[in-house]
Amino acid sequence: MDSGKQLKKIIESLPEEVKLVAVSKFHEEAAIMSCYQEGQRVFGESRVQELITKEAHLPKDIAWHFIGHLQTNKVRFIAPFVDLIHSVDSLKVLKEIDKCAKNNDRVIRCLLQLHVAEEDTKFGLSKEGCREILESDAFAQMKHVKVVGVMCMATNTEQAQQVAQEFDRALEIFEWLKRSYFSEQSDFAIKSWGMSHDYGIAIEHGANLVRIGSSIFGARK
Ligand SMILES: *Cc1c(COP(=O)(O)O)cnc(C)c1O
């Protein structure tokens, strides 16, 4: 698969306001470079070790997004460079991100991962869980994280209607959070949903950041 060519096709099909994270997990650096040569700068990885290896080898102007489940004890490895963490699913991990960002003298942008899918194996926060974080004293003290939106994954199903409903639920929570805790002009603006098989539905249902892997890079081994 020529990943650069696939990437170009996908970008041409996206509405202008929708940005792309090229999800390069399990794929080789050469495939990433072929997207880089097409101008892509935002790449997503879901494993800490793989991300730090690639970050060390690849151009420094890549914006690395972490999209997988993040264990507290691994935050420090990505804190020096990560551009956006999509998968904040507890106050505990957010506290650790704040601490590690401070140690690196930076502010790390984060998304709250919402649980909207049917499967209970998927990580993520309820609306109530988001509220608890954003209203906590601990969050009020944090100076080194910036919550800039939400992320979710829909149920992996052929039922387009169910997928659409789950994205609508995420959109509703996003809008409620924005109204309740952020100003209209704030940077709380990112809605990260949609993968290779469902990004069309995601865009129709509010996404402005899609995370696409296999449609660009081919199937993962
Ligand atoms: C792997 C992954 C993607 C991309 O999935 P594809 O089906 O390959 O497009 C998107 N989001 C998350 C959280 C992932 O882990």
Side-chain angles (χ1 to χ4, degrees):
M1 195 131 166
D2 180 341
S3 55
K5 220 187 225 167
Q6 291 301 118
L7 173 104
K8 222 170 145 185
K9 265 196 227 160
I10 288 174
I11 288 181
E12 280 164 7
S13 77
L14 297 177
E16 207 181 334
E17 67 279 9
V18 177
K19 302 289 179 248
L20 170 69
V21 182
V23 176
S24 49
K25 63 186 187 200
F26 305 115
H27 290 285
E28 291 181 1
E29 292 167 5
I32 298 177
M33 282 312 294
S34 111
C35 294
Y36 183 89
Q37 251 106 51
E38 292 293 341
Q40 181 68 19
R41 291 294 180 273
V42 181
F43 292 90
E45 290 284 336
S46 61
R47 293 181 175 193
V48 168
Q49 185 55 52
E50 186 177 351
L51 172 53
I52 58 184
T53 304
K54 286 174 173 170
E55 192 274 338
H57 294 164
L58 291 165
K60 291 302 161 198
D61 63 343
I62 289 179
W64 292 103
H65 287 196
F66 191 80
I67 63 172
H69 181 65
L70 184 55
Q71 288 172 283
T72 308
N73 62 356
K74 297 208 172 148
V75 173
R76 64 195 164 98
F77 299 112
I78 63 171
F81 64 85
V82 70
D83 178 60
L84 178 65
I85 297 175
H86 287 233
S87 45
V88 170
D89 61 359
S90 68
L91 180 59
K92 184 169 166 241
V93 78
L94 194 59
K95 275 185 191 165
E96 182 65 14
I97 297 167
D98 185 63
K99 188 179 114 192
C100 296
K102 180 168 193 256
N103 291 341
N104 285 279
D105 200 18
R106 353 180 14 225
V107 173
I108 297 180
R109 301 187 309 138
C110 297
L111 305 179
L112 299 176
Q113 180 172 353
L114 304 176
H115 178 98
V116 292
E118 211 174 55
E119 300 115 273
D120 34 69
T121 50
K122 285 194 177 151
F123 295 102
L125 296 159
S126 63
K127 181 175 170 182
E128 200 48 45
C130 295
R131 182 221 284 270
E132 276 169 25
I133 290 177
L134 296 174
E135 292 186 0
S136 68
D137 292 334
F139 179 70
Q141 305 295 320
M142 292 181 197
K143 295 197 174 66
H144 296 269
V145 291
K146 188 164 198 187
V147 175
V148 292
V150 298
M151 175 273 223
C152 78
M153 270 185 280
T155 303
N156 189 2
T157 169
E158 301 285 301
Q159 308 278 325
Q161 199 174 348
Q162 181 180 350
V163 172
Q165 269 169 17
E166 292 172 357
F167 290 147
D168 281 343
R169 174 70 185 145
L171 187 57
E172 187 187 307
I173 297 174
F174 168 85
E175 281 167 358
W176 180 81
L177 292 171
K178 177 135 191 158
R179 266 198 316 279
S180 307
Y181 302 105
F182 301 90
S183 74
E184 195 50 46
Q185 293 77 29
S186 82
D187 294 332
F188 186 83
I190 297 178
K191 293 164 279 178
S192 166
W193 50 85
M195 312 177 16
S196 293
H197 66 283
D198 62 11
Y199 75 89
I201 305 174
I203 292 167
E204 284 170 19
H205 294 266
N208 58 12
L209 187 62
V210 291
R211 309 177 308 263
I212 300 179
S214 37
S215 293
I216 297 170
F217 295 102
R220 288 179 288 274
K221 279 159 240 141

